[in-house]
Amino acid sequence: MQTLTIDFICSLDGFGSAVGWPGWWGMESPEYLDWLEEAPAKNDPLLMGATTYRVMSELTAGGEPGTDVLNDIKKYVFSSSLEPPLVWANSTLVDTDAVEYVRRLKEVSDRPLRTIGSIALCRSLLNAGLVDRYRVVIFPVITGASGRDRIFDGYPDVTLELVEVRTFDHRTQLLEYVPTVVDGPPGS
């Protein structure tokens, strides 16, 4: 059985993006970019929803630095609104139940799986107990006025066991956890 890692980048206040800010909030440090390039998981298949597919495929097609590496990676796109064929290389459209598809994919995949963006998809996979790791890279910016896509809204209560921590260029934090969905606060 393969593992599934939810992968998010966010501002300190938990936003996945912000209006008017560049990718990575303009803080893609050399050390972080090197880590992305050297990470063993960099070629693991990606799971994403329609919105992330649209955004990332446009960034890649437009030549956004660092996104070209995504072209060769297998991508599973969960959507009932996109139409086949998908134009981004190595993308498979999945229009069936994401939870059941991912449950089966974890059994048959020859590589670990990971997500990219896709807040609602990640929330449903976490609720279904399919997530083995939860990795967040926190960029040192608060985007309270311009932030969009609050990552943790609508999540269940989750306890997190810290299994890795790293600082890139003395400012960006990587935190990796083993998540456990809980029924509520202790003693409730």
Side-chain angles (χ1 to χ4, degrees), residues 80-114:
S80 59
S81 63
L82 293 172
E83 296 290 328
L86 298 179
V87 296
W88 195 9
N90 298 307
S91 295
T92 299
L93 180 60
V94 180
D95 61 2
T96 60
D97 181 69
V99 167
E100 289 310 312
Y101 192 92
V102 173
R103 189 179 318 278
R104 177 74 179 126
L105 190 57
K106 286 182 70 170
E107 293 173 1
V108 300
S109 179
D110 61 346
R111 295 190 59 94
L113 305 167
R114 62 189 174 113

Side-chain angles (χ1 to χ4, degrees), residues 68-84:
D68 58 329
V69 298
L70 299 175
N71 288 328
D72 294 332
I73 298 172
K74 179 72 176 160
K75 294 169 281 295
Y76 295 94
V77 183
F78 297 89
S79 173
S80 59
S81 63
L82 293 172
E83 296 290 328

Side-chain angles (χ1 to χ4, degrees), residues 13 22 24 26 34-35 38-39 45 60-61 69 88 92 109 120 123 136 139 142 145 147 151 157 172:
D13 51 344
W24 292 311
D34 287 347
W35 176 80
E38 296 166 8
T60 303
V69 298
W88 195 9
T92 299
S109 179
R123 184 174 45 241
V136 180
F139 285 79
I142 294 173
I151 292 175
D157 288 344
T172 304

